[in-house]
Amino acid sequence: TIGLVRAERQRQAAEAAQRLAENRFQSARQFVEEVFDTVAPEFSGLVGATKAREALARTSVTFLESLASGSEKDESFQAELAKLYGQLALSLGNPYAPNSIGDYEAALRFANQSLQILQAIQSKQPNRPEALLALARAHDRVGSILLALARPQDALVHHRQNRDLLRQFLERRPDSSAAKEGLQIASFRIGHDLRAEGHT
């Protein structure tokens, strides 16, 4: 009887943990959709919007850190968390957005966190096209921030990784127009890195 009671308690605890993970996952998804996909773009082009974006980014850090705790084994949640870190990185420092905060050191930190999560996911699913594409974009993001920090040699490593991953993706999804466009951009980025290094 005692064994049955313990087993039932363990089952209930497992179910509660699963519900908590699902709730946290939904919170993360809602955060992405409502804040970064809806609110942040409204700041673009507004005078004085940089301060508002900075406040949003700083608040987001606290939120992300609270979500990250205890979610290491939930792959779906980790993928969403990687997306959040990537969005936060671009809010802090996006070399291609004039309204970016311009804090590239902080942006690099969060871009690398996103990259590390996606590398772990892709290592478990090496042949999954979506994992390849997400990882390629993460390398592009890190490389672009590194170039903005005047580190073209390091940027080149990531932009080449982006290119190679996109080629692997296209082997599996040859009709992807987004990947084809990304490959063209990757070639441009690599050329830019080489010129910044002093190559002609």
Side-chain angles (χ1 to χ4, degrees):
T1 301
I2 293 174
L4 290 173
V5 170
R6 286 176 177 170
E8 177 61 18
R9 287 177 178 173
Q10 289 175 351
R11 184 189 66 80
Q12 291 177 355
E15 289 181 353
Q18 180 63 29
R19 286 195 297 271
L20 177 61
E22 290 174 356
N23 288 338
R24 292 171 69 174
F25 177 82
Q26 292 302 325
S27 295
R29 182 176 297 281
Q30 185 177 9
F31 184 79
V32 172
E33 292 175 353
E34 294 186 2
V35 178
F36 284 115
D37 294 346
T38 304
V39 178
E42 295 297 324
F43 294 152
S44 299
L46 297 178
V47 177
T50 299
K51 289 293 184 182
R53 288 169 66 94
E54 185 172 3
L56 173 63
R58 300 305 174 192
T59 302
S60 303
V61 172
T62 302
F63 180 74
L64 288 176
E65 289 175 346
S66 70
L67 288 175
S69 177
S71 65
E72 294 79 6
K73 295 182 180 179
D74 188 333
E75 192 169 293
S76 296
F77 183 81
Q78 285 293 305
E80 196 70 17
L81 188 61
K83 180 179 178 181
L84 284 165
Y85 278 130
Q87 291 279 9
L88 179 56
L90 292 181
S91 289
L92 286 165
N94 184 349
Y96 308 111
N99 201 38
S100 169
I101 294 170
D103 187 349
Y104 292 114
E105 291 290 351
L108 181 61
R109 184 170 68 254
F110 289 108
N112 275 324
Q113 285 181 283
S114 177
L115 177 61
Q116 289 167 11
I117 292 171
L118 292 169
Q119 284 174 326
I121 292 174
Q122 198 271 334
S123 68
K124 296 175 184 176
Q125 303 180 21
N127 296 316
R128 185 164 159 264
E130 291 77 9
L132 285 171
L133 187 58
L135 184 56
R137 289 171 175 167
H139 276 291
D140 177 62
R141 186 162 48 236
V142 172
S144 297
I145 294 170
L146 284 167
L147 187 60
L149 287 167
R151 294 170 56 183
Q153 188 172 7
D154 294 329
L156 182 61
V157 172
H158 288 280
H159 285 146
R160 282 175 170 165
Q161 281 279 62
N162 172 41
R163 177 198 60 193
D164 295 343
L165 287 164
L166 286 171
R167 286 174 175 170
Q168 292 178 46
F169 178 84
L170 282 168
E171 289 175 1
R172 295 162 174 78
R173 300 281 176 83
D175 296 330
S176 173
S177 57
K180 290 176 182 177
E181 181 180 352
L183 197 56
Q184 292 178 341
I185 293 172
S187 297
F188 171 80
R189 302 254 209 266
I190 289 169
H192 195 175
D193 297 338
L194 290 170
R195 287 192 295 274
E197 275 194 298
H199 298 279
T200 56

